[in-house]
Amino acid sequence: MNSPLLDKSLDFATQIVLFYEEFSKLKKDTTIAKQLLRSATSIGANINEAVYGNSKADFISKLHISLKETGESIYWLTLLKRTKLIDYDFEDLLSLAEEIKKMLIASLNTAKEKAK
C-alpha cells in the first residue's frame, strides 16, 4: 500500500529513534526524550491501525489519536530545543512533525466529509 502519510510518519519515527539513541549516550536524564520516543512512534502505529480499521468511525478515531500524538511530539521537541540538553538541529524534526500534522488534519477533514 502506498501512503505518503504513513511513509512520512515512519520517516519521523525512524529519525526520533536515532535521535533517542544519540541522546541516551549523553548519560543525562532521558525522561523527556523517552516521552518523545513514545509519542513519535505512536503516530505511525495509529495511522497503520487506521488503515486497517473496521469502520469509518474507527479510521477517524485512530487518525485523531495520531494527531494528538503529533502535537505531543512537537511539544517534546520544542522543550528539548529550548532546554539545550543536547546540541541538535531540531528544525528538521519540527518541520516534519508539522507536515505530518497538516496531512493528518487534511485526512481527517476528508474522512469526516465522506462520513456525512
Side-chain angles (χ1 to χ4, degrees), residues 43-78:
I43 297 166
N46 279 289
I47 293 168
N48 193 58
E49 283 188 46
V51 170
Y52 295 104
N54 54 11
S55 68
K56 185 64 80 172
D58 189 33
F59 178 82
I60 291 170
S61 175
K62 295 298 183 191
L63 287 187
H64 268 291
I65 294 169
S66 292
L67 182 57
K68 289 166 67 173
E69 295 293 340
T70 304
E72 183 178 338
S73 296
I74 291 168
Y75 174 83
W76 294 124
L77 282 168
T78 303

Short mmCIF file of all heavy atoms in Angstrom, two decimals, residues 43-78:
data_model
loop_
_atom_site.label_atom_id
_atom_site.label_comp_id
_atom_site.label_asym_id
_atom_site.label_seq_id
_atom_site.Cartn_x
_atom_site.Cartn_y
_atom_site.Cartn_z
N ILE A 43 2.56 7.75 16.46
CA ILE A 43 1.89 8.40 15.32
C ILE A 43 1.66 7.40 14.19
O ILE A 43 0.53 7.16 13.76
CB ILE A 43 2.72 9.60 14.81
CG1 ILE A 43 2.84 10.67 15.89
CG2 ILE A 43 2.09 10.18 13.53
CD1 ILE A 43 3.90 11.73 15.61
N GLY A 44 2.73 6.81 13.70
CA GLY A 44 2.63 5.88 12.58
C GLY A 44 1.89 4.61 12.94
O GLY A 44 1.17 4.04 12.10
N ALA A 45 2.07 4.16 14.18
CA ALA A 45 1.36 2.95 14.61
C ALA A 45 -0.15 3.15 14.53
O ALA A 45 -0.89 2.27 14.07
CB ALA A 45 1.78 2.57 16.03
N ASN A 46 -0.62 4.32 14.95
CA ASN A 46 -2.06 4.60 14.90
C ASN A 46 -2.54 4.85 13.47
O ASN A 46 -3.67 4.49 13.14
CB ASN A 46 -2.40 5.77 15.82
CG ASN A 46 -2.54 5.31 17.24
OD1 ASN A 46 -3.48 4.63 17.60
ND2 ASN A 46 -1.56 5.67 18.07
N ILE A 47 -1.71 5.44 12.64
CA ILE A 47 -2.08 5.61 11.23
C ILE A 47 -2.22 4.23 10.60
O ILE A 47 -3.18 3.97 9.86
CB ILE A 47 -1.05 6.48 10.47
CG1 ILE A 47 -1.08 7.92 10.99
CG2 ILE A 47 -1.32 6.44 8.97
CD1 ILE A 47 0.08 8.77 10.51
N ASN A 48 -1.29 3.35 10.90
CA ASN A 48 -1.36 1.99 10.38
C ASN A 48 -2.62 1.28 10.86
O ASN A 48 -3.29 0.60 10.07
CB ASN A 48 -0.11 1.21 10.80
CG ASN A 48 0.05 -0.07 10.04
OD1 ASN A 48 0.13 -0.06 8.82
ND2 ASN A 48 0.08 -1.18 10.75
N GLU A 49 -2.97 1.46 12.12
CA GLU A 49 -4.21 0.87 12.64
C GLU A 49 -5.43 1.47 11.93
O GLU A 49 -6.40 0.76 11.66
CB GLU A 49 -4.33 1.10 14.14
CG GLU A 49 -3.47 0.18 14.97
CD GLU A 49 -3.75 0.30 16.44
OE1 GLU A 49 -4.94 0.33 16.83
OE2 GLU A 49 -2.78 0.39 17.21
N ALA A 50 -5.37 2.76 11.64
CA ALA A 50 -6.49 3.42 10.95
C ALA A 50 -6.72 2.79 9.58
O ALA A 50 -7.87 2.54 9.19
CB ALA A 50 -6.22 4.92 10.82
N VAL A 51 -5.64 2.54 8.88
CA VAL A 51 -5.74 1.96 7.54
C VAL A 51 -6.44 0.61 7.59
O VAL A 51 -7.22 0.27 6.71
CB VAL A 51 -4.32 1.82 6.92
CG1 VAL A 51 -4.36 0.99 5.65
CG2 VAL A 51 -3.73 3.20 6.65
N TYR A 52 -6.21 -0.13 8.66
CA TYR A 52 -6.80 -1.46 8.78
C TYR A 52 -7.98 -1.48 9.74
O TYR A 52 -8.40 -2.55 10.20
CB TYR A 52 -5.73 -2.48 9.21
CG TYR A 52 -4.67 -2.63 8.16
CD1 TYR A 52 -3.41 -2.04 8.31
CD2 TYR A 52 -4.92 -3.34 6.99
CE1 TYR A 52 -2.45 -2.16 7.33
CE2 TYR A 52 -3.96 -3.45 6.00
CZ TYR A 52 -2.72 -2.86 6.19
OH TYR A 52 -1.77 -2.98 5.21
N GLY A 53 -8.53 -0.31 10.02
CA GLY A 53 -9.69 -0.22 10.91
C GLY A 53 -10.90 -0.92 10.33
O GLY A 53 -10.99 -1.18 9.13
N ASN A 54 -11.85 -1.20 11.22
CA ASN A 54 -13.02 -1.96 10.77
C ASN A 54 -14.24 -1.08 10.45
O ASN A 54 -15.28 -1.60 10.11
CB ASN A 54 -13.39 -3.04 11.79
CG ASN A 54 -13.57 -2.48 13.18
OD1 ASN A 54 -13.64 -1.28 13.35
ND2 ASN A 54 -13.65 -3.35 14.16
N SER A 55 -14.08 0.23 10.57
CA SER A 55 -15.18 1.13 10.23
C SER A 55 -14.63 2.53 9.97
O SER A 55 -13.49 2.84 10.32
CB SER A 55 -16.20 1.19 11.37
OG SER A 55 -15.63 1.83 12.50
N LYS A 56 -15.46 3.37 9.38
CA LYS A 56 -15.07 4.77 9.14
C LYS A 56 -14.83 5.49 10.47
O LYS A 56 -13.88 6.25 10.62
CB LYS A 56 -16.16 5.49 8.33
CG LYS A 56 -15.80 6.89 7.92
CD LYS A 56 -14.63 6.97 6.98
CE LYS A 56 -15.01 6.66 5.57
NZ LYS A 56 -13.93 6.90 4.60
N ALA A 57 -15.68 5.18 11.48
CA ALA A 57 -15.51 5.79 12.80
C ALA A 57 -14.19 5.37 13.44
O ALA A 57 -13.51 6.19 14.07
CB ALA A 57 -16.68 5.41 13.70
N ASP A 58 -13.82 4.12 13.27
CA ASP A 58 -12.54 3.62 13.80
C ASP A 58 -11.38 4.32 13.09
O ASP A 58 -10.40 4.73 13.73
CB ASP A 58 -12.47 2.10 13.61
CG ASP A 58 -11.28 1.47 14.31
OD1 ASP A 58 -10.88 1.97 15.38
OD2 ASP A 58 -10.77 0.45 13.81
N PHE A 59 -11.49 4.46 11.77
CA PHE A 59 -10.47 5.16 10.99
C PHE A 59 -10.27 6.58 11.51
O PHE A 59 -9.14 7.01 11.78
CB PHE A 59 -10.90 5.17 9.51
CG PHE A 59 -9.96 5.90 8.59
CD1 PHE A 59 -8.82 5.28 8.12
CD2 PHE A 59 -10.24 7.21 8.19
CE1 PHE A 59 -7.95 5.95 7.26
CE2 PHE A 59 -9.38 7.88 7.34
CZ PHE A 59 -8.23 7.25 6.87
N ILE A 60 -11.36 7.30 11.68
CA ILE A 60 -11.30 8.69 12.15
C ILE A 60 -10.73 8.76 13.56
O ILE A 60 -9.89 9.61 13.87
CB ILE A 60 -12.70 9.35 12.06
CG1 ILE A 60 -13.08 9.55 10.59
CG2 ILE A 60 -12.75 10.66 12.83
CD1 ILE A 60 -14.51 9.95 10.35
N SER A 61 -11.15 7.84 14.42
CA SER A 61 -10.65 7.81 15.80
C SER A 61 -9.13 7.61 15.85
O SER A 61 -8.44 8.30 16.61
CB SER A 61 -11.35 6.69 16.57
OG SER A 61 -10.81 6.57 17.86
N LYS A 62 -8.63 6.69 15.06
CA LYS A 62 -7.18 6.42 15.06
C LYS A 62 -6.40 7.60 14.49
O LYS A 62 -5.31 7.92 14.97
CB LYS A 62 -6.86 5.15 14.26
CG LYS A 62 -7.43 3.89 14.85
CD LYS A 62 -6.88 3.61 16.23
CE LYS A 62 -7.44 2.29 16.72
NZ LYS A 62 -7.17 2.05 18.13
N LEU A 63 -6.96 8.27 13.48
CA LEU A 63 -6.28 9.46 12.96
C LEU A 63 -6.27 10.58 13.99
O LEU A 63 -5.29 11.33 14.09
CB LEU A 63 -6.93 9.94 11.66
CG LEU A 63 -6.69 9.10 10.41
CD1 LEU A 63 -7.24 9.80 9.18
CD2 LEU A 63 -5.21 8.77 10.21
N HIS A 64 -7.34 10.69 14.78
CA HIS A 64 -7.37 11.69 15.85
C HIS A 64 -6.27 11.41 16.88
O HIS A 64 -5.60 12.33 17.36
CB HIS A 64 -8.73 11.72 16.56
CG HIS A 64 -9.68 12.71 15.98
ND1 HIS A 64 -9.51 14.07 16.10
CD2 HIS A 64 -10.82 12.53 15.27
CE1 HIS A 64 -10.50 14.69 15.49
NE2 HIS A 64 -11.31 13.78 14.97
N ILE A 65 -6.11 10.14 17.22
CA ILE A 65 -5.05 9.77 18.17
C ILE A 65 -3.68 10.14 17.58
O ILE A 65 -2.83 10.70 18.28
CB ILE A 65 -5.12 8.27 18.52
CG1 ILE A 65 -6.40 7.98 19.31
CG2 ILE A 65 -3.88 7.84 19.31
CD1 ILE A 65 -6.71 6.50 19.48
N SER A 66 -3.48 9.87 16.30
CA SER A 66 -2.22 10.22 15.64
C SER A 66 -1.99 11.73 15.68
O SER A 66 -0.86 12.18 15.92
CB SER A 66 -2.22 9.75 14.19
OG SER A 66 -2.18 8.36 14.12
N LEU A 67 -3.05 12.50 15.47
CA LEU A 67 -2.93 13.95 15.52
C LEU A 67 -2.53 14.42 16.91
O LEU A 67 -1.66 15.28 17.07
CB LEU A 67 -4.25 14.61 15.08
CG LEU A 67 -4.27 16.13 15.04
CD1 LEU A 67 -3.19 16.70 14.13
CD2 LEU A 67 -5.65 16.61 14.60
N LYS A 68 -3.14 13.84 17.94
CA LYS A 68 -2.79 14.19 19.32
C LYS A 68 -1.34 13.82 19.63
O LYS A 68 -0.61 14.59 20.27
CB LYS A 68 -3.74 13.49 20.30
CG LYS A 68 -5.15 14.09 20.26
CD LYS A 68 -6.17 13.23 20.94
CE LYS A 68 -5.97 13.11 22.43
NZ LYS A 68 -7.07 12.38 23.09
N GLU A 69 -0.90 12.67 19.15
CA GLU A 69 0.47 12.23 19.38
C GLU A 69 1.46 13.13 18.62
O GLU A 69 2.56 13.40 19.11
CB GLU A 69 0.65 10.77 18.96
CG GLU A 69 -0.14 9.78 19.78
CD GLU A 69 0.31 9.66 21.23
OE1 GLU A 69 1.45 10.03 21.57
OE2 GLU A 69 -0.49 9.17 22.04
N THR A 70 1.05 13.62 17.47
CA THR A 70 1.90 14.55 16.72
C THR A 70 2.06 15.85 17.49
O THR A 70 3.17 16.38 17.61
CB THR A 70 1.30 14.83 15.32
OG1 THR A 70 1.12 13.59 14.63
CG2 THR A 70 2.20 15.73 14.50
N GLY A 71 0.95 16.36 18.03
CA GLY A 71 1.02 17.57 18.85
C GLY A 71 1.92 17.38 20.06
O GLY A 71 2.70 18.26 20.42
N GLU A 72 1.81 16.22 20.69
CA GLU A 72 2.65 15.93 21.85
C GLU A 72 4.12 15.86 21.44
O GLU A 72 5.00 16.38 22.14
CB GLU A 72 2.23 14.61 22.50
CG GLU A 72 3.02 14.30 23.75
CD GLU A 72 2.58 13.04 24.46
OE1 GLU A 72 1.45 12.57 24.27
OE2 GLU A 72 3.42 12.50 25.21
N SER A 73 4.40 15.25 20.31
CA SER A 73 5.78 15.16 19.83
C SER A 73 6.37 16.55 19.56
O SER A 73 7.53 16.82 19.89
CB SER A 73 5.85 14.32 18.55
OG SER A 73 5.48 12.98 18.81
N ILE A 74 5.56 17.41 18.98
CA ILE A 74 6.00 18.79 18.73
C ILE A 74 6.32 19.48 20.05
O ILE A 74 7.32 20.19 20.18
CB ILE A 74 4.95 19.57 17.91
CG1 ILE A 74 4.89 19.02 16.48
CG2 ILE A 74 5.24 21.07 17.91
CD1 ILE A 74 3.70 19.50 15.67
N TYR A 75 5.50 19.23 21.07
CA TYR A 75 5.74 19.81 22.39
C TYR A 75 7.09 19.34 22.95
O TYR A 75 7.91 20.15 23.40
CB TYR A 75 4.60 19.42 23.35
CG TYR A 75 4.87 19.86 24.77
CD1 TYR A 75 4.58 21.16 25.16
CD2 TYR A 75 5.43 18.99 25.69
CE1 TYR A 75 4.83 21.58 26.46
CE2 TYR A 75 5.69 19.40 26.98
CZ TYR A 75 5.40 20.70 27.37
OH TYR A 75 5.67 21.11 28.65
N TRP A 76 7.34 18.02 22.93
CA TRP A 76 8.58 17.49 23.50
C TRP A 76 9.79 17.97 22.70
O TRP A 76 10.84 18.29 23.28
CB TRP A 76 8.55 15.97 23.55
CG TRP A 76 7.54 15.41 24.49
CD1 TRP A 76 6.55 14.52 24.19
CD2 TRP A 76 7.37 15.70 25.88
NE1 TRP A 76 5.79 14.25 25.30
CE2 TRP A 76 6.27 14.96 26.36
CE3 TRP A 76 8.05 16.53 26.78
CZ2 TRP A 76 5.84 15.00 27.67
CZ3 TRP A 76 7.61 16.58 28.10
CH2 TRP A 76 6.53 15.83 28.53
N LEU A 77 9.68 18.03 21.37
CA LEU A 77 10.78 18.54 20.56
C LEU A 77 11.08 20.00 20.89
O LEU A 77 12.25 20.39 21.00
CB LEU A 77 10.45 18.41 19.06
CG LEU A 77 10.60 17.03 18.46
CD1 LEU A 77 9.97 16.98 17.08
CD2 LEU A 77 12.07 16.62 18.40
N THR A 78 10.04 20.78 21.04
CA THR A 78 10.22 22.20 21.38
C THR A 78 10.87 22.34 22.75
O THR A 78 11.76 23.17 22.95
CB THR A 78 8.87 22.94 21.32
OG1 THR A 78 8.31 22.77 20.02
CG2 THR A 78 9.03 24.42 21.62
#
